[in-house]
Amino acid sequence: MNSREHEALATIGLLAAQSDGRRDRTERDVLTATFESFGIAGIASVNAHVALGTATLEEEAQALVTPELRTAAWELALGVCHADGVLTPAERAFLEQLRVALGMPAEHAAQVDAPVAPHLLPAPMSAIEAAFPAATPATPVLADEAALDETIRQAAVFAAALELLPQGLATLGIVPLQLKLVADIGTAYGHRVDAGHAKELLATVGLGLGGQAIDGFARRLLGRLAGRFGGGMIGGVVDAATGAAATFAATWAIGEVAKSWYASGRALDRADLESRFAGALDDGRAAFERMRGSVEAQARTLGAGGPGRP
């Protein structure tokens, strides 16, 4: 890859990050740091180009002349737009404009709503929300904690297995899975939990799902390109096992802190939630070492196209 191709890829990623109209600084900063870690120069000028509104998808797409780079740009944009688990109408329009600019065939439009195979994803949040009761009880429901512990374990194994799959887009299933885990736990305690509430809980403990997902996905994609093209992109190659361990621990901790939050009737303060999350992360890291074999077995099942979802 040459410097112009680096810039084009980075520009498309940053345009995708702001395509929802929110201009999320966290997403932009995470992308910028990830690109810099791979030795991509000129990120400051790329950021300025995007911020000033002078960057166009058509011009950036034209700079990517090989099918591999065009596919990478398309996957990067899909990953960024799907990072928070919800695709907005503005992001859909952006992705269609990009698909046309890249000259991707019409069948790629189907990837906008289903970027990974259905067996790699949990039920969408819209389906979960439709099944919620109309009212939230004033007092918590006594949930089956042993069953919830198993739900958390299965979700952590499944999320970590996605990190081990060779399909780059597979990791886009992680954020919906984590949001669904929060919703399932809240429902078990009798609470109504939509995607917004789930995200708020995780933001409270300092876990920005969008930034986390973008960093992990972009590193995998850029690491793949580094292996193919080199060109100085060597600083950020990710070891799949390391990513799996981190994802397992994060998912485990998300489940544990959600269980504490809803069991308390949502009465814990921020400091308590943060402390519980930090402790659960340590427990999750230790649990991964015990369950590494289960994660690898789940990855083999998913890679073979089996259902195996939580």
Side-chain angles (χ1 to χ4, degrees), residues 50-129:
V50 171
L52 291 171
T54 55
T56 66
L57 283 180
E58 291 73 17
E59 181 180 349
E60 302 308 319
Q62 288 174 6
L64 301 173
V65 297
T66 69
E68 292 86 355
L69 290 177
R70 287 174 175 255
T71 297
W74 172 248
E75 291 185 359
L76 176 63
L78 274 177
V80 171
C81 289
H82 277 274
D84 63 356
V86 178
L87 197 66
T88 68
E91 288 170 325
R92 292 177 187 277
F94 169 83
L95 289 169
E96 176 58 18
Q97 182 186 355
L98 176 62
R99 183 189 68 78
V100 173
L102 291 170
M104 308 295 279
E107 53 263 30
H108 277 64
Q111 290 185 323
V112 171
D113 286 309
V116 294
H119 71 277
L120 300 183
L121 288 170
M125 285 300 297
S126 58
I128 300 167
E129 291 166 4

Side-chain angles (χ1 to χ4, degrees), residues 3-254:
S3 60
R4 179 65 186 99
E5 290 167 335
H6 287 177
E7 291 176 0
L9 195 62
T11 301
I12 289 171
L14 290 168
L15 286 172
Q18 69 174 37
S19 64
D20 58 5
R22 295 198 299 264
R23 295 178 180 265
D24 191 316
R25 183 184 181 93
T26 300
E27 292 184 357
R28 185 194 67 196
D29 289 349
V30 166
L31 269 177
T32 297
T34 303
F35 286 131
E36 287 177 339
S37 75
F38 276 83
I40 297 179
I43 295 300
S45 63
V46 168
N47 264 311
H49 198 34
V50 171
L52 291 171
T54 55
T56 66
L57 283 180
E58 291 73 17
E59 181 180 349
E60 302 308 319
Q62 288 174 6
L64 301 173
V65 297
T66 69
E68 292 86 355
L69 290 177
R70 287 174 175 255
T71 297
W74 172 248
E75 291 185 359
L76 176 63
L78 274 177
V80 171
C81 289
H82 277 274
D84 63 356
V86 178
L87 197 66
T88 68
E91 288 170 325
R92 292 177 187 277
F94 169 83
L95 289 169
E96 176 58 18
Q97 182 186 355
L98 176 62
R99 183 189 68 78
V100 173
L102 291 170
M104 308 295 279
E107 53 263 30
H108 277 64
Q111 290 185 323
V112 171
D113 286 309
V116 294
H119 71 277
L120 300 183
L121 288 170
M125 285 300 297
S126 58
I128 300 167
E129 291 166 4
F132 287 157
T136 298
T139 58
V141 171
L142 290 177
D144 184 340
E145 293 199 13
L148 289 180
D149 288 343
E150 179 61 15
T151 296
I152 293 169
R153 187 195 70 80
Q154 290 183 8
V157 168
F158 192 89
L162 292 177
E163 288 279 5
L164 296 180
L165 294 181
Q167 304 98 307
L169 291 173
T171 55
L172 299 189
I174 293 172
V175 167
L177 187 151
Q178 291 171 336
L179 292 175
K180 180 181 183 297
L181 177 61
V182 174
D184 285 348
I185 292 172
T187 301
Y189 282 102
H191 295 276
R192 182 184 176 95
V193 187
D194 61 18
H197 290 136
K199 290 178 188 176
E200 287 174 10
L201 172 60
L202 300 182
T204 299
V205 298
L207 187 64
L209 287 180
Q212 169 196 290
I214 286 174
D215 181 60
F217 175 78
R219 285 183 180 279
R220 280 171 59 103
L221 185 144
L222 293 173
R224 190 179 75 208
L225 289 180
R228 289 183 182 177
F229 298 103
M233 293 170 55
I234 59 175
V237 178
V238 177
D239 176 71
T242 299
T247 296
F248 182 100
T251 306
W252 180 285
I254 286 168

